[in-house]
Amino acid sequence: EVQLVESGGGLVQPGRSLKLSCVASGFTFNNYWMTWIRQAPGKGLEWVASITNTGGSTYYPDSVKGRFTISRDNAKSTLYLQMNSLRSEDTATYYCTRPAYWGQGVMVTVSS
Amino acid sequence: DVVLTQTPVAQPVTLGDQASISCRSSQSLVHSNGNTYLEWYLQKPGQSPQLLIYKVSNRFSGVPDRFIGSGSGSDFTLKISRVEPEDLGVYYCFQATHDPWTFGGGTKLELK
């Protein structure tokens, strides 16, 4: 069974950093691109970052480019999202996803 | 960026009815490789989104055949025949043809 379990969320002040993790199981992790998607409270879905199966290439929308970094450790079947210079508009539930499967999400709140 | 416009925003239904959701793109979603990367997701209350349809009309594993995706170019439709209680929630279309990947604003399927 495919499982994606996120961790690392919480309350953080504007301008500070936070790193999310996602441990994957039930599939061959290094065969798949992985993606982070977020959802602000009561709002729709927004693509945040993607990484190729080898980690050789990464992709971001302009809203997070230069502030967020996606990475992976294929030996540990773990996906990461390093979030720097956080803003109030980054407040959201962050989902770890692979094609067709989503984790349960982790909440990030950016507030003073 | 590609804008996906979903209509209606809310669709009141009676159980057993057919429902239809439209997703119109600001540009063609045909990729240079000939594929059209248009997906449909359902987010039930308090849950992560779940994949229903990929590449316009392909049902994901386990998705009932009452869900039918269709369309081409920049105009797509999700039809749900004989709506059941477990079909209620918010439906999103999503495109991964053009960078940045984008979601539609969502359509809430609710009881009349």
Side-chain angles (χ1 to χ4, degrees):
Chain A
E1 178 194 5
V2 172
Q3 286 201 312
L4 300 166
V5 180
E6 303 96 336
S7 62
L11 174 64
V12 61
Q13 292 180 328
R16 303 299 290 263
S17 299
L18 202 62
K19 187 171 185 176
L20 305 182
S21 299
C22 169
V23 176
S25 60
F27 64 100
T28 304
F29 184 69
N30 59 14
N31 281 354
Y32 291 89
W33 282 45
M34 296 295 294
T35 294
W36 289 98
I37 291 170
R38 68 184 179 185
Q39 186 171 37
K43 302 295 185 183
L45 300 165
E46 181 186 15
W47 168 61
V48 171
S50 293
I51 187 167
T52 57
N53 59 315
T54 62
S57 295
T58 57
Y59 305 87
Y60 308 92
D62 287 346
S63 57
V64 307
K65 198 174 290 182
R67 299 189 300 123
F68 288 14
T69 302
I70 188 172
S71 62
R72 64 193 296 160
D73 184 336
N74 283 347
K76 295 182 178 178
S77 295
T78 302
L79 179 71
Y80 303 100
L81 185 67
Q82 176 68 47
M83 303 184 292
N84 298 332
S85 303
L86 282 161
R87 307 167 180 167
S88 57
E89 54 264 37
D90 297 318
T91 293
T93 296
Y94 285 73
Y95 295 100
C96 166
T97 79
R98 61 143 269 197
Y101 293 91
W102 295 52
Q104 284 305 300
V106 61
M107 185 67 200
V108 172
T109 303
V110 184
S111 174
S112 54
Chain B
D1 296 3
V2 171
V3 176
L4 298 180
T5 302
Q6 284 185 237
T7 55
V9 172
Q11 171 98 26
V13 294
T14 300
L15 296 180
D17 276 358
Q18 175 174 284
S20 182
I21 301 169
S22 169
C23 177
R24 289 198 167 137
S25 174
S26 59
Q27 57 185 278
S28 172
L29 297 184
V30 180
H31 193 275
S32 56
N33 65 12
N35 289 317
T36 300
Y37 296 104
L38 187 283
E39 300 173 355
W40 290 96
Y41 290 87
L42 164 60
Q43 186 173 31
K44 299 179 185 180
Q47 295 186 18
S48 305
Q50 57 189 83
L51 178 66
L52 300 173
I53 302 287
Y54 62 96
K55 286 199 276 186
V56 180
S57 59
N58 297 275
R59 272 186 296 274
F60 181 57
S61 174
V63 174
D65 60 8
R66 63 178 181 274
F67 291 90
I68 300 170
S70 63
S72 61
S74 59
D75 196 354
F76 304 92
T77 301
L78 177 68
K79 282 189 168 59
I80 311 157
S81 60
R82 307 179 310 277
V83 171
E84 299 195 4
E86 60 266 31
D87 301 338
L88 302 177
V90 181
Y91 288 78
Y92 294 95
C93 57
F94 168 73
Q95 69 83 23
T97 295
H98 300 288
D99 181 9
W101 300 350
T102 51
F103 287 88
T107 295
K108 187 173 185 179
L109 192 69
E110 57 192 7
L111 288 178
K112 275 183 186 170

XYZ file of all heavy atoms in Angstrom, chain A residues 6-100:
737
model
N 3.725 13.029 5.958
C 4.402 14.314 6.112
C 4.639 14.646 7.586
O 3.877 14.211 8.454
C 3.580 15.445 5.488
C 3.234 15.268 4.020
C 1.854 14.680 3.788
O 1.341 13.987 4.708
O 1.278 14.906 2.706
N 5.668 15.446 7.826
C 5.949 15.943 9.169
C 6.721 17.249 9.063
O 7.185 17.618 7.971
C 6.754 14.919 9.975
O 8.007 14.686 9.368
N 6.828 17.946 10.201
C 7.643 19.151 10.241
C 6.873 20.452 10.232
O 7.467 21.533 10.299
N 5.562 20.364 10.158
C 4.768 21.582 10.142
C 4.690 22.241 11.504
O 5.219 21.724 12.498
N 4.021 23.395 11.544
C 3.856 24.085 12.815
C 3.688 25.576 12.629
O 3.479 26.057 11.511
N 3.794 26.301 13.749
C 3.673 27.757 13.743
C 5.059 28.374 13.642
O 5.969 28.012 14.399
C 2.987 28.206 15.039
C 2.885 29.709 15.290
C 2.022 30.381 14.227
C 2.303 29.968 16.686
N 5.215 29.308 12.716
C 6.514 29.952 12.509
C 6.284 31.433 12.236
O 5.254 31.813 11.650
C 7.292 29.266 11.362
C 6.534 29.355 10.048
C 8.696 29.811 11.224
N 7.222 32.248 12.665
C 7.092 33.696 12.452
C 7.449 34.080 11.021
O 8.269 33.398 10.371
C 8.021 34.438 13.416
C 7.620 34.319 14.870
C 8.580 35.062 15.788
O 9.775 35.164 15.506
N 8.056 35.587 16.892
N 6.861 35.150 10.537
C 7.229 35.631 9.189
C 8.731 35.869 9.089
O 9.363 36.367 10.035
C 6.450 36.949 9.067
C 5.292 36.790 9.988
C 5.790 35.974 11.138
N 9.295 35.491 7.946
C 10.710 35.655 7.700
C 11.568 34.484 8.155
O 12.749 34.406 7.762
N 10.983 33.589 8.947
C 11.750 32.443 9.429
C 11.673 31.266 8.471
O 11.044 31.358 7.399
C 11.240 32.024 10.824
C 11.280 33.127 11.852
C 12.682 33.638 12.105
N 13.514 32.667 12.802
C 13.710 32.677 14.129
N 13.110 33.578 14.897
N 14.509 31.797 14.679
N 12.307 30.166 8.838
C 12.378 28.984 7.971
C 11.731 27.776 8.618
O 11.562 27.720 9.841
C 13.849 28.657 7.668
O 14.483 29.717 7.002
N 11.395 26.819 7.761
C 10.813 25.557 8.223
C 11.147 24.500 7.180
O 11.204 24.800 5.976
C 9.294 25.698 8.368
C 8.550 24.734 9.290
C 9.032 24.885 10.733
C 7.046 25.004 9.214
N 11.359 23.258 7.621
C 11.637 22.180 6.674
C 10.638 21.057 6.879
O 10.492 20.531 7.985
C 13.063 21.641 6.868
C 13.472 20.626 5.806
C 14.948 20.281 5.907
C 15.393 19.371 4.773
N 16.851 19.110 4.802
N 9.939 20.733 5.815
C 8.989 19.630 5.831
C 9.660 18.359 5.320
O 10.541 18.415 4.462
C 7.779 19.951 4.942
C 7.029 21.242 5.239
C 5.824 21.377 4.297
C 6.600 21.309 6.682
N 9.187 17.227 5.842
C 9.656 15.924 5.382
C 8.466 15.075 4.992
O 7.355 15.265 5.501
C 10.444 15.208 6.480
O 11.579 15.950 6.854
N 8.710 14.119 4.121
C 7.674 13.178 3.707
C 8.330 11.825 3.519
O 9.173 11.656 2.635
C 7.022 13.649 2.414
S 5.955 12.417 1.624
N 7.950 10.868 4.359
C 8.486 9.517 4.240
C 7.533 8.681 3.400
O 6.325 8.618 3.684
C 8.672 8.869 5.625
C 9.139 7.437 5.476
C 9.670 9.682 6.451
N 8.076 8.068 2.374
C 7.282 7.278 1.437
C 7.497 5.789 1.670
O 8.597 5.356 2.040
C 7.663 7.641 0.007
N 6.452 5.018 1.424
C 6.566 3.567 1.527
C 5.535 2.923 0.619
O 4.573 3.572 0.181
C 6.366 3.102 2.981
O 5.088 3.472 3.447
N 5.741 1.647 0.322
C 4.780 0.905 -0.482
C 5.009 0.979 -1.971
O 4.206 0.461 -2.749
N 6.092 1.667 -2.384
C 6.428 1.734 -3.797
C 7.920 2.034 -3.926
O 8.576 2.395 -2.939
C 5.591 2.788 -4.522
C 5.826 4.216 -4.068
C 6.645 5.069 -4.791
C 5.215 4.709 -2.916
C 6.855 6.382 -4.375
C 5.416 6.009 -2.491
C 6.242 6.844 -3.227
N 8.430 1.891 -5.142
C 9.851 2.152 -5.385
C 10.048 3.648 -5.548
O 9.785 4.222 -6.618
C 10.337 1.384 -6.626
O 10.060 -0.007 -6.451
C 11.838 1.583 -6.814
N 10.484 4.299 -4.492
C 10.525 5.764 -4.406
C 11.316 6.372 -5.549
O 10.889 7.365 -6.156
C 11.132 6.157 -3.055
C 11.160 7.629 -2.770
C 9.984 8.339 -2.548
C 12.362 8.320 -2.705
C 10.014 9.694 -2.261
C 12.406 9.672 -2.418
C 11.220 10.360 -2.201
N 12.465 5.773 -5.879
C 13.335 6.408 -6.870
C 12.869 6.211 -8.304
O 13.566 6.573 -9.244
C 14.788 5.985 -6.691
C 14.979 4.488 -6.815
O 14.099 3.775 -7.289
N 16.129 4.013 -6.411
N 11.663 5.650 -8.485
C 11.081 5.545 -9.820
C 10.167 6.714 -10.173
O 9.715 6.813 -11.309
C 10.254 4.264 -9.940
C 11.123 3.039 -10.174
O 12.330 3.151 -10.363
N 10.504 1.872 -10.163
N 9.875 7.574 -9.188
C 8.824 8.563 -9.378
C 9.267 10.000 -9.132
O 10.000 10.285 -8.188
C 7.647 8.275 -8.433
C 6.899 7.021 -8.781
C 7.284 5.797 -8.248
C 5.815 7.061 -9.652
C 6.609 4.634 -8.578
C 5.135 5.900 -9.980
C 5.536 4.696 -9.447
O 4.860 3.553 -9.767
N 8.780 10.904 -10.013
C 8.793 12.309 -9.671
C 7.960 12.463 -8.399
O 7.000 11.739 -8.172
C 8.115 13.120 -10.766
C 8.907 13.374 -11.995
C 9.675 12.494 -12.699
C 8.957 14.611 -12.709
N 10.197 13.108 -13.796
C 9.785 14.416 -13.833
C 8.385 15.871 -12.516
C 10.064 15.424 -14.752
C 8.651 16.882 -13.426
C 9.482 16.649 -14.526
N 8.302 13.484 -7.604
C 7.531 13.798 -6.401
C 7.200 15.293 -6.414
O 7.932 16.114 -6.979
C 8.308 13.447 -5.132
C 8.606 11.959 -4.967
S 7.138 10.946 -4.736
C 6.540 11.529 -3.153
N 6.097 15.635 -5.758
C 5.564 16.997 -5.822
C 4.996 17.418 -4.473
O 4.421 16.589 -3.757
C 4.457 17.049 -6.903
O 5.047 16.815 -8.186
C 3.736 18.390 -6.920
N 5.155 18.685 -4.148
C 4.451 19.302 -3.016
C 3.334 20.183 -3.565
O 3.556 20.969 -4.500
C 5.396 20.152 -2.172
C 6.391 19.383 -1.363
C 7.699 19.125 -1.687
C 6.189 18.772 -0.086
N 8.311 18.389 -0.707
C 7.405 18.169 0.299
C 5.105 18.691 0.787
C 7.562 17.485 1.508
C 5.254 18.018 1.990
C 6.479 17.418 2.335
N 2.174 20.067 -2.978
C 1.014 20.891 -3.313
C 0.455 21.451 -2.007
O 0.475 20.750 -0.995
C -0.038 20.057 -4.072
C 0.492 19.706 -5.464
C -1.369 20.817 -4.197
C -0.324 18.690 -6.226
N -0.023 22.675 -2.031
C -0.542 23.253 -0.793
C -1.964 23.767 -0.968
O -2.429 23.990 -2.087
C 0.353 24.389 -0.297
C 0.361 25.637 -1.167
C 1.363 26.656 -0.623
N 1.431 27.864 -1.443
C 2.278 28.854 -1.238
N 3.159 28.787 -0.229
N 2.277 29.917 -2.023
N -2.615 23.959 0.165
C -3.992 24.440 0.182
C -4.166 25.377 1.368
O -4.120 24.937 2.529
C -4.972 23.261 0.282
C -6.424 23.650 0.171
C -7.321 22.437 0.048
O -7.080 21.390 0.665
N -8.379 22.549 -0.755
N -4.341 26.652 1.086
C -4.597 27.626 2.144
C -5.960 27.331 2.774
O -6.840 26.757 2.110
C -4.559 29.045 1.573
N -6.159 27.710 4.028
C -7.416 27.394 4.718
C -8.638 27.865 3.944
O -8.744 29.051 3.591
C -7.279 28.133 6.056
C -5.806 28.224 6.281
C -5.196 28.392 4.921
N -9.530 26.940 3.633
C -10.762 27.260 2.923
C -10.582 27.619 1.464
O -11.540 28.078 0.815
N -9.389 27.409 0.925
C -9.101 27.809 -0.456
C -8.820 26.605 -1.343
O -8.946 25.456 -0.919
C -7.889 28.753 -0.481
C -8.065 30.005 0.353
C -9.161 30.893 -0.186
C -9.235 32.206 0.582
N -10.356 33.048 0.112
N -8.416 26.888 -2.586
C -8.137 25.840 -3.545
C -6.712 25.321 -3.444
O -5.988 25.594 -2.490
N -6.315 24.573 -4.458
C -5.034 23.883 -4.473
C -4.012 24.656 -5.298
O -4.345 25.260 -6.317
C -5.224 22.482 -5.061
C -6.201 21.592 -4.291
C -6.617 20.389 -5.121
C -5.571 21.129 -2.980
N -2.751 24.608 -4.848
C -1.671 25.296 -5.554
C -0.451 24.393 -5.609
O 0.030 23.907 -4.583
C -1.306 26.608 -4.848
C -0.194 27.382 -5.559
C 0.282 28.607 -4.799
O -0.018 28.736 -3.598
O 0.972 29.448 -5.422
N 0.079 24.207 -6.822
C 1.314 23.464 -6.997
C 2.465 24.287 -6.427
O 2.571 25.486 -6.683
C 1.537 23.185 -8.478
C 2.902 22.674 -8.813
C 3.484 21.519 -8.372
C 3.864 23.315 -9.642
N 4.745 21.395 -8.896
C 5.002 22.494 -9.682
C 3.890 24.510 -10.367
C 6.137 22.814 -10.405
C 5.015 24.829 -11.100
C 6.131 23.986 -11.099
N 3.368 23.621 -5.663
C 4.445 24.317 -4.962
C 5.823 23.951 -5.501
O 6.688 24.819 -5.644
C 4.390 24.002 -3.449
C 5.621 24.536 -2.722
C 3.111 24.557 -2.829
N 6.046 22.665 -5.775
C 7.371 22.252 -6.231
C 7.322 20.805 -6.709
O 6.538 20.011 -6.190
C 8.404 22.379 -5.107
N 8.182 20.491 -7.669
C 8.331 19.115 -8.143
C 9.799 18.792 -8.328
O 10.618 19.692 -8.567
C 7.594 18.907 -9.477
O 6.206 19.012 -9.322
N 10.114 17.512 -8.247
C 11.486 17.050 -8.405
C 11.466 15.743 -9.190
O 10.584 14.908 -9.004
C 12.161 16.862 -7.023
C 13.649 16.550 -7.161
C 11.446 15.809 -6.178
C 14.424 16.668 -5.841
N 12.430 15.602 -10.096
C 12.506 14.385 -10.887
C 12.920 13.200 -10.013
O 13.360 13.372 -8.868
C 13.508 14.549 -12.040
O 14.782 14.914 -11.489
C 13.046 15.624 -13.013
N 12.800 12.001 -10.542
C 13.053 10.804 -9.732
C 14.501 10.718 -9.244
O 14.760 10.211 -8.152
C 12.658 9.536 -10.484
C 13.400 9.358 -11.793
O 13.538 10.306 -12.562
N 13.872 8.162 -12.057
N 15.432 11.256 -10.017
C 16.835 11.225 -9.597
C 17.210 12.420 -8.729
O 18.281 12.443 -8.113
C 17.764 11.235 -10.811
O 17.539 12.463 -11.530
C 17.512 10.044 -11.713
N 16.342 13.413 -8.715
C 16.666 14.657 -8.012
C 17.467 15.629 -8.852
O 17.847 16.702 -8.378
N 17.681 15.276 -10.098
C 18.529 16.098 -10.950
C 17.909 17.407 -11.400
O 18.624 18.337 -11.774
N 16.584 17.458 -11.415
C 15.906 18.690 -11.821
C 14.771 19.004 -10.869
O 14.107 18.097 -10.365
C 15.341 18.561 -13.233
O 16.360 18.425 -14.185
N 14.564 20.300 -10.651
C 13.493 20.768 -9.779
C 12.714 21.881 -10.470
O 13.247 22.573 -11.352
C 14.041 21.287 -8.439
O 14.993 22.337 -8.700
C 14.720 20.178 -7.651
N 11.458 22.053 -10.056
C 10.564 23.001 -10.709
C 9.719 23.706 -9.653
O 9.255 23.067 -8.702
C 9.640 22.263 -11.696
C 10.403 21.437 -12.704
C 10.772 20.126 -12.415
C 10.779 21.979 -13.928
C 11.497 19.369 -13.327
C 11.498 21.222 -14.844
C 11.852 19.923 -14.532
O 12.576 19.181 -15.431
N 9.500 25.016 -9.859
C 8.743 25.819 -8.899
C 7.907 26.864 -9.628
O 8.319 27.379 -10.667
C 9.698 26.583 -7.963
C 10.744 25.755 -7.285
C 12.002 25.582 -7.860
C 10.494 25.160 -6.060
C 12.981 24.816 -7.245
C 11.468 24.394 -5.429
C 12.704 24.235 -6.025
O 13.671 23.475 -5.409
N 6.766 27.245 -9.054
C 6.063 28.429 -9.573
C 6.752 29.686 -9.044
O 7.524 29.627 -8.076
C 4.666 28.280 -8.969
C 4.902 27.550 -7.687
C 6.061 26.629 -7.939
N 6.456 30.809 -9.660
C 7.102 32.060 -9.257
C 6.822 32.421 -7.800
O 7.636 33.091 -7.156
C 6.626 33.205 -10.161
C 7.233 33.120 -11.553
O 8.202 32.346 -11.739
O 6.724 33.808 -12.462
N 5.664 31.985 -7.269
C 5.269 32.364 -5.913
C 6.233 31.866 -4.838
O 6.286 32.432 -3.737
C 3.852 31.872 -5.614
O 3.772 30.471 -5.781
N 7.000 30.825 -5.132
C 7.924 30.272 -4.127
C 9.359 30.199 -4.630
O 10.269 29.886 -3.852
C 7.478 28.877 -3.639
C 6.024 28.923 -3.156
C 7.667 27.823 -4.706
N 9.565 30.466 -5.914
C 10.906 30.340 -6.498
C 11.880 31.242 -5.756
O 11.594 32.403 -5.501
C 10.856 30.695 -7.979
C 12.029 30.203 -8.791
C 11.817 30.489 -10.284
C 10.736 29.647 -10.874
N 10.553 29.873 -12.325
N 13.036 30.682 -5.406
C 14.049 31.441 -4.673
C 13.886 31.381 -3.167
O 14.804 31.765 -2.431
N 12.720 30.936 -2.694
C 12.488 30.832 -1.237
C 12.373 29.379 -0.778
O 12.783 29.034 0.322
C 11.205 31.574 -0.845
C 11.212 33.056 -1.154
C 10.000 33.747 -0.536
N 8.730 33.224 -1.036
C 7.763 32.721 -0.260
N 7.919 32.655 1.056
N 6.628 32.292 -0.794
N 11.782 28.539 -1.637
C 11.570 27.135 -1.288
C 12.534 26.261 -2.089
O 12.847 26.560 -3.254
C 10.140 26.707 -1.627
C 9.079 27.274 -0.725
C 9.322 28.320 0.148
C 7.781 26.757 -0.772
C 8.333 28.835 0.966
C 6.776 27.261 0.035
C 7.057 28.303 0.905
N 12.947 25.158 -1.471
C 13.801 24.193 -2.152
C 13.280 22.784 -1.892
O 13.148 22.368 -0.736
C 15.254 24.278 -1.658
O 15.754 25.610 -1.859
C 16.138 23.296 -2.414
N 12.986 22.077 -2.977
C 12.575 20.687 -2.868
C 13.806 19.807 -3.054
O 14.681 20.113 -3.874
C 11.476 20.345 -3.900
C 10.901 18.950 -3.684
C 11.986 20.525 -5.326
C 9.687 18.638 -4.559
N 13.884 18.724 -2.286
C 14.996 17.788 -2.417
C 14.509 16.405 -1.999
O 13.400 16.255 -1.477
C 16.186 18.230 -1.555
O 15.831 18.250 -0.185
N 15.353 15.419 -2.243
C 14.964 14.054 -1.888
C 16.187 13.256 -1.511
O 17.298 13.523 -1.980
C 14.211 13.401 -3.034
C 15.020 13.207 -4.306
C 14.121 12.840 -5.502
N 13.460 11.550 -5.309
C 12.368 11.179 -5.985
N 11.828 11.987 -6.868
N 11.850 9.973 -5.774
N 15.970 12.235 -0.688
C 16.999 11.258 -0.345
C 16.433 9.899 -0.733
O 15.605 9.334 0.006
C 17.315 11.336 1.149
C 18.449 10.409 1.549
O 18.692 9.405 0.843
O 19.081 10.669 2.576
N 16.829 9.410 -1.882
C 16.260 8.150 -2.372
C 16.647 6.966 -1.481
O 15.886 5.996 -1.387
C 16.682 7.909 -3.811
C 15.889 8.773 -4.793
O 14.873 9.372 -4.428
N 16.365 8.862 -6.021
N 17.782 7.034 -0.819
C 18.183 5.949 0.083
C 17.251 5.853 1.289
O 17.079 4.771 1.861
C 19.615 6.161 0.546
N 16.665 6.984 1.647
C 15.759 7.020 2.804
C 14.298 7.110 2.393
O 13.418 7.240 3.255
C 16.093 8.217 3.705
C 17.455 8.142 4.360
C 17.691 9.334 5.272
C 19.041 9.244 5.962
N 19.311 10.419 6.825
N 14.037 7.090 1.084
C 12.656 7.227 0.575
C 11.970 8.438 1.201
O 10.817 8.364 1.657
C 11.834 5.962 0.850
O 12.348 4.862 0.145
N 12.673 9.534 1.217
C 12.171 10.728 1.882
C 12.274 11.955 0.977
O 13.295 12.169 0.319
C 12.933 10.985 3.194
O 12.795 9.845 4.045
C 12.377 12.213 3.923
N 11.206 12.718 0.982
C 11.107 13.973 0.235
C 11.141 15.120 1.232
O 10.608 15.001 2.341
C 9.787 13.998 -0.539
C 9.467 15.231 -1.373
C 10.371 15.300 -2.609
C 8.001 15.208 -1.785
N 11.753 16.228 0.820
C 11.860 17.392 1.701
C 11.362 18.651 1.005
O 11.355 18.752 -0.214
C 13.322 17.619 2.123
C 13.963 16.445 2.802
C 14.811 15.590 2.104
C 13.716 16.181 4.147
C 15.413 14.506 2.712
C 14.311 15.087 4.778
C 15.154 14.267 4.051
O 15.739 13.188 4.676
N 10.969 19.625 1.841
C 10.700 20.964 1.340
C 11.267 21.952 2.346
O 10.751 22.072 3.462
C 9.201 21.213 1.149
C 8.860 22.567 0.512
C 9.339 22.616 -0.949
C 7.351 22.843 0.577
N 12.348 22.611 1.951
C 12.937 23.663 2.772
C 12.274 24.978 2.405
O 12.300 25.389 1.238
C 14.443 23.751 2.520
C 15.132 24.893 3.260
C 15.151 24.667 4.764
O 15.485 23.573 5.233
N 14.814 25.693 5.525
N 11.661 25.607 3.387
C 10.928 26.843 3.153
C 11.607 27.980 3.916
O 11.657 27.945 5.156
C 9.469 26.687 3.605
C 8.752 25.535 2.930
S 7.019 25.417 3.383
C 7.166 24.946 5.092
N 12.115 28.950 3.196
C 12.787 30.101 3.791
C 11.975 31.368 3.560
O 11.083 31.401 2.710
C 14.186 30.264 3.187
C 15.082 29.076 3.443
O 14.924 28.355 4.440
N 16.038 28.860 2.556
N 12.306 32.412 4.320
C 11.649 33.718 4.169
C 10.133 33.567 4.099
O 9.472 34.095 3.192
C 12.170 34.424 2.900
O 13.559 34.563 2.924
N 9.596 32.844 5.057
C 8.161 32.533 5.026
C 7.308 33.784 5.194
O 7.666 34.728 5.903
C 7.830 31.495 6.095
C 8.222 30.067 5.697
C 8.311 29.163 6.904
C 7.229 29.512 4.676
N 6.172 33.774 4.519
C 5.215 34.885 4.531
C 3.865 34.384 5.030
O 3.586 33.175 4.961
C 5.060 35.442 3.112
C 6.351 35.825 2.430
C 6.122 36.050 0.946
N 7.354 36.430 0.244
C 7.487 36.435 -1.070
N 6.474 36.088 -1.847
N 8.632 36.804 -1.624
N 3.020 35.307 5.417
C 1.696 34.897 5.908
C 0.928 34.137 4.823
O 0.156 33.221 5.122
C 0.904 36.117 6.356
O 0.772 37.052 5.300
N 1.163 34.505 3.553
C 0.436 33.836 2.472
C 0.933 32.411 2.219
O 0.355 31.695 1.391
C 0.493 34.659 1.175
C 1.880 35.030 0.703
C 2.297 36.419 1.151
O 1.960 36.834 2.288
O 2.991 37.092 0.350
N 1.975 31.981 2.898
C 2.426 30.589 2.813
C 1.665 29.693 3.785
O 1.860 28.469 3.775
C 3.932 30.487 3.094
C 4.772 31.225 2.075
O 4.455 31.131 0.858
O 5.743 31.898 2.473
N 0.817 30.289 4.614
C 0.009 29.497 5.551
C -0.901 28.565 4.770
O -1.699 29.011 3.928
C -0.835 30.425 6.443
O 0.042 31.162 7.297
C -1.816 29.616 7.284
N -0.780 27.266 5.024
C -1.519 26.275 4.242
C -1.263 24.878 4.791
O -0.353 24.671 5.599
C -1.078 26.318 2.778
N -2.073 23.951 4.310
C -1.757 22.535 4.464
C -0.904 22.127 3.271
O -1.278 22.407 2.127
C -3.038 21.693 4.523
O -3.790 22.056 5.689
C -2.704 20.212 4.576
N 0.221 21.497 3.555
C 1.148 21.073 2.511
C 1.032 19.563 2.330
O 1.164 18.798 3.288
C 2.576 21.465 2.887
C 2.829 22.949 2.707
C 2.282 23.866 3.598
C 3.563 23.443 1.635
C 2.471 25.241 3.431
C 3.769 24.810 1.462
C 3.208 25.695 2.360
O 3.399 27.053 2.179
N 0.767 19.179 1.083
C 0.624 17.774 0.746
C 1.842 17.286 -0.027
O 2.281 17.932 -0.990
C -0.609 17.555 -0.125
C -1.930 17.849 0.530
C -2.595 19.046 0.291
C -2.533 16.920 1.373
C -3.832 19.319 0.873
C -3.766 17.181 1.960
C -4.401 18.381 1.704
O -5.624 18.638 2.285
N 2.308 16.120 0.371
C 3.343 15.395 -0.379
C 2.600 14.488 -1.363
O 1.669 13.766 -0.952
C 4.172 14.598 0.611
S 5.257 13.338 -0.078
N 2.991 14.521 -2.637
C 2.283 13.702 -3.614
C 3.255 13.014 -4.565
O 4.357 13.505 -4.838
C 1.307 14.541 -4.457
O 2.011 15.256 -5.480
C 0.524 15.537 -3.615
N 2.833 11.860 -5.037
C 3.429 11.230 -6.222
C 2.267 11.012 -7.164
O 1.115 11.111 -6.721
C 4.167 9.942 -5.885
C 3.340 8.847 -5.281
C 3.709 7.459 -5.727
N 2.923 7.076 -6.900
C 2.786 5.839 -7.326
N 3.399 4.845 -6.695
N 2.064 5.573 -8.392
N 2.542 10.721 -8.435
C 1.409 10.559 -9.340
C 0.330 9.639 -8.773
O 0.590 8.499 -8.411
C 2.051 9.959 -10.594
C 3.425 10.537 -10.589
C 3.832 10.576 -9.147
N -0.870 10.204 -8.619
C -2.078 9.505 -8.193
C -2.210 9.296 -6.683
O -3.233 8.788 -6.239
C -2.232 8.162 -8.898
